[in-house]
Amino acid sequence: MSGKQTYQCSLYPGGVRFTYDGKKQYCVRYLKVTEGEKKHKKTITQVPNRDSFTIEEDTCNGPAKYDFEILYVFGWSLSHMQTCQAERQEIKFAKQNNQLVLEHNMVGCVKNAVITDKENIKTRLTCKMDNINKSKYVCEMPKSCTTQTFRINVNFGQKSVSAGSFESNIIAGVSLVLVYHKQSKTVVVEGDQESLACAGNILEINLVAGTVDKKSGKACSVGTYYTGEETKTNTKSSSECRKKCQDAEDCNYWAFFRSNCELYKQRPTSGSSNNTEYVSGHKLCTLPEDKISWDIENSSKQFSLSPYIYSCKEAVLLAVYEGLDKADVHKLTIEHTPRMNVTLNETHMNVVQGNADFEACEDLQYELQCKTSESDQYKSLLNFTQQAVNMEEYQGMGCRVRAWMDENFLPQANFEYIGTAKEDNIGLALILGITVPVVIISLIMVICVIVIVRRKNAWEDNPIPDIPMEVRRRETLRYENDIDDEYYSVL
């Protein structure tokens, strides 16, 4: 026999397809089938077509790989041809939002899928064949609030076939954001409904700077000592001395110097010292090493900060929120500081407090900074407490204003930028100086265009009549003679 015949074989649900790839078709009689370690012979009862034939085989429940040896008639004897292999493809999967999409060419073999989480809890998924692409199966995933690893097993025929694993958060559209509403002093967690349903209910508030108690109203004092009726004891640090005062029922104030701790029931007389080893204050005052925080719990994800923000008391808070898990952490810095609304007239600047918590504060201070002709940098020119300031001497300068109560909060003080009256007038003069001439020139050009258009239209409506040449010559000579007569009469 010259040349060998070649068959391509492939699996499909319920059988194997053999495709002939030669110049001459022979009568195939037998197939030697190897399934793993088992071998058997199949007799072909179907008459082969010109280029292919099929056999029945339970490929959904059979092995993943088949080896075939095809025996066919050549003349009066049986001949063998090369081995043909058919292998089942691996099951592919992809996660799309809250759906799991399986893909396999063995249409009809995939029944459903089972996912197993890290707690070994199994969940059966219902899978439906895609109407357009028959090799795809769409499985609905259960909603979950945690990120974890899932193992996938596909019920393929009567067997369970492992399709791999994936790590994913099954929640669709995860997008949590912290928003602070100044009017209500409330931190609100915003996001889609599925994410909010799984998100945490606790907001941690950390005091970065400011006060923690309405009664104390300020941080502990450095360089201040007390005199009065006290109880003396020894501690290693100022924080330990404050702790002794907090634990004692008859202590409201304390003072620490080196290892000496003094506890006071009544407010003592205070004095100032350049020695920074003196530390004193109310029993609830804050020390620089303090990390003060509160946990606020609210199932609606709306956390009120009113108990931690006071009138006439500046503060900087850090809100920390754990959303879906420990890796999903959101932070928001909240500055409770004065805000200003500034207006200018020809001579004065009026400053109105924009934060209601600082409207009636006695210690509120303002600072005016301006750029002088000598420098392009802002310089402090005036500190004031009144709401109206005469600005005549600062005309022509670019200025800005800020407000604060405690100098420790100067970094958080926001500037309001203003332009003085002279500066505004110069700008207006420049605008008018450029705009007015441009407008006048434009009007002249428009008038010229209108006149030209009108004359052109009049010319077209009343054209010069066609005068014969002889008449034109006579008229021209008469005109010239008239001119000469007039000329000589004048002489």
Side-chain angles (χ1 to χ4, degrees):
M1 182 179 70
S2 60
K4 291 185 177 181
Q5 312 307 310
T6 304
Y7 277 88
Q8 303 287 336
C9 51
S10 59
L11 302 180
Y12 71 94
V16 185
R17 181 176 292 107
F18 297 85
T19 304
Y20 175 68
D21 188 22
K23 295 181 179 180
K24 188 175 181 180
Q25 173 68 43
Y26 295 96
C27 183
V28 177
R29 294 293 180 89
Y30 304 104
L31 288 175
K32 288 185 177 180
V33 184
T34 303
E35 302 177 6
E37 298 180 354
K38 298 180 180 180
K39 293 183 179 182
H40 64 276
K41 185 170 68 174
K42 291 185 72 70
T43 302
I44 304 301
T45 58
Q46 176 187 352
V47 178
N49 297 325
R50 181 174 179 81
D51 56 358
S52 66
F53 69 94
T54 60
I55 63 169
E56 293 183 0
E57 188 74 19
D58 189 4
T59 51
C60 287
N61 297 305
K65 183 177 181 181
Y66 290 84
D67 291 327
F68 298 97
E69 186 178 4
I70 302 177
L71 291 83
Y72 56 88
V73 175
F74 184 74
W76 296 101
S77 61
L78 292 175
S79 299
H80 299 270
M81 69 172 295
Q82 292 177 337
T83 299
C84 176
Q85 290 185 344
E87 188 172 359
R88 191 166 60 218
Q89 295 180 358
E90 292 184 357
I91 300 173
K92 299 179 182 179
F93 69 90
K95 181 184 171 296
Q96 298 177 0
N97 294 330
N98 61 334
Q99 292 180 331
L100 189 67
V101 179
L102 304 175
E103 186 171 357
H104 198 272
N105 65 328
M106 302 283 283
V107 179
C109 290
V110 175
K111 304 301 180 183
N112 49 46
V114 176
I115 59 172
T116 307
D117 62 15
K118 60 183 180 181
E119 304 295 334
N120 207 31
I121 298 176
K122 300 180 184 296
T123 304
R124 183 180 295 274
L125 308 181
T126 301
C127 304
K128 295 182 179 180
M129 184 185 297
D130 190 274
N131 293 328
I132 299 175
N133 188 348
K134 301 295 184 181
S135 62
K136 284 188 177 181
Y137 302 83
V138 179
C139 311
E140 293 295 329
M141 296 283 287
K143 295 178 182 178
S144 173
C145 292
T146 58
T147 300
Q148 56 182 310
T149 300
F150 292 92
R151 301 192 307 273
I152 304 173
N153 284 74
V154 177
N155 291 331
F156 196 87
Q158 298 177 0
K159 296 181 178 181
S160 179
V161 180
S162 175
S165 62
F166 68 96
E167 182 175 311
S168 176
N169 190 319
I170 307 179
I171 302 172
V174 176
S175 55
L176 298 177
V177 180
L178 292 182
V179 179
Y180 178 60
H181 298 275
K182 294 180 180 179
Q183 295 295 332
S184 61
K185 300 178 183 177
T186 304
V187 176
V188 178
V189 183
E190 296 183 355
D192 59 271
Q193 292 183 353
E194 291 182 347
S195 300
L196 289 174
C198 292
N201 297 328
I202 296 177
L203 181 72
E204 178 186 321
I205 297 296
N206 297 277
L207 183 70
V208 179
T211 60
V212 297
D213 183 78
K214 290 184 178 181
K215 189 173 182 179
S216 64
K218 60 182 179 180
C220 304
S221 300
V222 177
T224 300
Y225 59 88
Y226 288 158
T227 56
E229 186 178 348
E230 81 279 1
T231 301
K232 293 184 178 181
T233 184
N234 293 323
T235 59
K236 295 181 180 179
S237 64
S238 57
S239 59
E240 288 185 11
C241 184
R242 182 188 59 179
K243 183 67 168 59
K244 281 187 174 291
C245 183
Q246 292 174 349
D247 295 340
E249 294 182 0
D250 58 350
C251 179
N252 290 305
Y253 295 89
W254 59 274
F256 177 80
F257 178 71
R258 296 178 181 172
S259 60
N260 298 317
C261 177
E262 300 172 351
L263 307 180
Y264 299 85
K265 182 178 181 180
Q266 304 296 331
R267 185 179 182 89
T269 303
S270 61
S272 298
S273 172
N274 293 327
N275 192 337
T276 57
E277 291 183 286
Y278 284 103
V279 183
S280 59
H282 187 269
K283 66 178 181 180
L284 296 177
C285 68
T286 59
L287 291 168
E289 62 267 25
D290 288 340
K291 183 184 183 301
I292 301 174
S293 63
W294 307 270
D295 288 339
I296 311 173
E297 186 171 358
N298 190 298
S299 59
S300 63
K301 281 77 173 175
Q302 299 183 7
F303 307 94
S304 175
L305 302 188
S306 296
Y308 315 101
I309 295 179
Y310 315 128
S311 298
C312 299
K313 300 297 179 184
E314 295 157 305
V316 179
L317 305 175
L318 176 64
V320 181
Y321 178 70
E322 184 178 305
L324 300 172
D325 51 34
K326 293 183 179 180
D328 183 35
V329 177
H330 305 263
K331 296 182 180 181
L332 179 65
T333 299
I334 301 162
E335 296 181 354
H336 182 61
T337 55
R339 295 288 187 269
M340 298 167 295
N341 294 323
V342 181
T343 57
L344 288 174
N345 56 31
E346 293 182 357
T347 60
H348 283 76
M349 173 181 65
N350 296 304
V351 181
V352 179
Q353 186 51 231
N355 189 336
D357 283 348
F358 294 91
E359 286 181 350
C361 301
E362 297 179 357
D363 298 332
L364 190 61
Q365 303 178 65
Y366 297 94
E367 179 189 20
L368 175 67
Q369 297 181 359
C370 297
K371 291 182 179 180
T372 64
S373 58
E374 302 172 354
S375 174
D376 194 41
Q377 302 294 325
Y378 285 99
K379 291 186 177 181
S380 179
L381 301 181
L382 180 66
N383 287 345
F384 59 96
T385 57
Q386 68 274 20
Q387 292 185 340
V389 179
N390 192 323
M391 296 291 291
E392 289 181 327
E393 63 178 298
Y394 308 110
Q395 289 186 357
M397 301 180 183
C399 301
R400 62 184 185 179
V401 184
R402 64 177 175 176
W404 76 93
M405 296 193 64
D406 189 334
E407 290 185 356
N408 293 325
F409 288 89
L410 280 176
Q412 286 79 32
N414 294 309
F415 284 101
E416 286 289 333
Y417 291 82
I418 58 175
T420 59
K422 184 178 180 180
E423 199 174 41
D424 293 341
N425 292 337
I426 292 174
L428 180 61
L430 288 173
I431 293 172
L432 293 175
I434 294 172
T435 305
V436 172
V438 171
V439 171
I440 294 174
I441 294 171
S442 301
L443 287 174
I444 294 173
M445 293 179 65
V446 170
I447 293 171
C448 291
V449 171
I450 293 173
V451 171
I452 293 171
V453 171
R454 286 185 175 181
R455 288 187 176 182
K456 182 180 179 182
N457 293 337
W459 180 276
E460 292 175 353
D461 295 338
N462 302 289
I464 298 175
D466 189 10
I467 304 174
M469 187 59 68
E470 289 299 326
V471 177
R472 291 181 185 178
R473 289 199 186 99
R474 288 198 300 270
E475 292 295 329
T476 302
L477 289 173
R478 187 173 66 183
Y479 175 73
E480 291 175 353
N481 292 333
D482 292 342
I483 293 177
D484 292 341
D485 294 340
E486 292 178 1
Y487 175 73
Y488 285 113
S489 66
V490 172
L491 293 178

